[in-house]
Amino acid sequence: AKTAGGHRVASGGADPAPPPDPRQLGLETRLRQAIEDDEFVLHYQLQFALDDGRPVGAEALLRWPREDGQWLPGRFIGLIDEGGMTVALGERVIVQAIAQLRRWREAGLAPVPVSVNISPRQCLDDRLPELVAERLAQEQVPAALLKIEITESAAMHDPQHLRGLLERLRAMGVQIALDDFGTGYSSLAHLRDMPVDQIKIDPGFVGSMEQHAGSRAIVEATIALAHGLKVPVVAEGVESARQLELLRSLGCDQVQGFLLAHPLPPDALAERLRDGSSASDHISRCSPALS
Ligand code: C2E
Ligand code: MG
Ligand code: MG
Ligand code: MG
């Protein structure tokens, strides 16, 4: 066994637990405090229909504003999980996203559904549907404006349990998206029986589909599968006009990526929605046939 510092530790039979890294412990404490003080914020990345460029949704993405800039989830979500804070933070995310939907509605913005990411651990929390129902009622937001994103790995961890949870959410009118499709260990039979309203193609495949025939085959197969299941498919991580055009020719329904919109703070997103023009301009510019 090796410690974080790389030193060999004598192990007599069972491995002793590695001594905790004090820097990590400090960060964990700081994260706990940050949840309590509600320091986390959500940025929103728009998704667009590929046929006419209209915005069809926005994904809520977690950000932690710190002295040295915005921290992205990759930097802290693992520690949140290890520290047993997943459910507490997840609840804050749901509360914030639904409150934001209410504010946008009050401001008279054309409503687009907001997608919230739910971690595998959160899927095991049976109070999730009640929390969602309570917040939607409290903020008077229609359930159809909320979408829950689950990853394929969560979906396949305990399919029976997850299916029950999703069906409870669905019965309320909440939509379900399957995130990062193709990266987990899914059984197609489980997918068939899962109530799902949208399938998301992982950026890894979108980013390499022009160079790798295999990635392109996976993108094509995912689109065909989604359409066979009668759900729209969104390609994530679209960064170039060429990718956009290829996805269009393959029959993809929706796109999300830096080419069209970066994740934005709520006010900037509202501005962008009021503006209306920019994304549809981009999509029609890339497709003369449509303009
Ligand atoms: P995800 O749900 O697959 O989210 C998409 C990620 O791709 C986001 O990274 C987004 O900023 C990034 N992205 C979007 N367009 C592009 C593009 O064109 N190019 C590239 N290279 N990247 C693009 P982000 O915000 O760093 O989030 C990473 C992951 O963290 C998310 O992956 C999601 O799994 C997780 N996450 C984010 N917010 C939450 C949350 O509130 N709760 C939970 N449990 N997980 C979250
Ligand atoms: Mg997501
Ligand atoms: Mg994804
Ligand atoms: Mg991801």
Side-chain angles (χ1 to χ4, degrees), residues 59 117 149 151 178-181 200-203 236 256:
E59 178 173 9
N117 291 283
E149 289 197 5
T151 59
L178 191 54
D179 205 359
D180 302 349
F181 186 78
K200 305 191 76 177
I201 305 178
D202 193 74
E236 278 195 279
Q256 177 181 346

Side-chain angles (χ1 to χ4, degrees), residues 45 59 62-63 73 117 119 179-180 236-239 257-258 263:
Q45 186 179 31
E59 178 173 9
L62 200 55
R63 301 289 181 257
N117 291 283
S119 78
D179 205 359
D180 302 349
E236 278 195 279
V238 179
E239 293 182 347
F258 296 163

Side-chain angles (χ1 to χ4, degrees), residues 84-140:
M85 298 175 263
T86 304
V87 169
L89 179 56
E91 286 180 358
R92 297 311 308 157
V93 168
I94 285 170
V95 167
Q96 258 193 49
I98 295 175
Q100 188 60 60
L101 270 166
R102 193 234 329 131
R103 284 194 286 273
W104 281 330
R105 272 163 63 79
E106 280 172 359
L109 285 172
V112 292
V114 164
S115 301
V116 171
N117 291 283
I118 299 291
S119 78
R121 196 161 296 211
Q122 236 182 317
C123 290
L124 301 173
D125 177 23
D126 283 320
R127 290 165 311 171
L128 184 68
E130 280 99 84
L131 174 72
V132 168
E134 179 199 299
R135 300 316 302 179
L136 288 171
Q138 179 96 28
E139 307 279 10
Q140 301 189 325

